[in-house]
Amino acid sequence: MRRIALTCLFVFATATGAHIALPLPDNASFLITNGKANNVTVNDAASGAVKATIATDAGPDGAILDPSTGDVFVMANHGGVVDVVDAAAGVVKAHIS
């Protein structure tokens, strides 16, 4: 099993209703769910800068990484679905209802 170690000490002014910051396999970025903005952001781990903003279904809050594929499964609480996010490509590639 590969370990991901990130230290993040930022105040994210761009996060809107943030619920989770999930380290990504590249060890250089992480994904933040923004429940009030209906999106997730991919942020640089060193600076906190937003690298990508990805629209999701309503109310994304929880997220989990599949380490074998790199896909992030984002639970959209108000949308009633799970969005499958390819964080490296910056897209939602599937919806699970």
Side-chain angles (χ1 to χ4, degrees):
M1 181 165 70
R2 201 171 100 188
R3 291 184 172 241
I4 299 173
L6 296 175
T7 303
C8 302
L9 300 172
F10 301 106
V11 175
F12 295 99
T14 58
T16 307
H19 288 259
I20 191 168
L22 180 69
L24 296 175
D26 66 3
N27 287 326
S29 55
F30 54 94
L31 180 135
I32 296 178
T33 60
N34 297 292
K36 292 181 180 177
N38 298 326
N39 66 39
V40 297
T41 54
V42 177
N43 295 70
D44 181 81
S47 69
V50 174
K51 296 163 58 172
T53 300
I54 306 163
T56 63
D57 282 284
D61 51 14
I64 189 166
L65 173 72
D66 179 348
S68 65
T69 64
D71 290 339
V72 179
F73 293 83
V74 177
M75 284 60 83
N77 185 33
H78 300 297
V81 301
V82 175
D83 292 317
V84 183
V85 174
D86 181 339
V91 298
V92 173
K93 63 187 225 177
H95 302 277
I96 302 169
S97 52

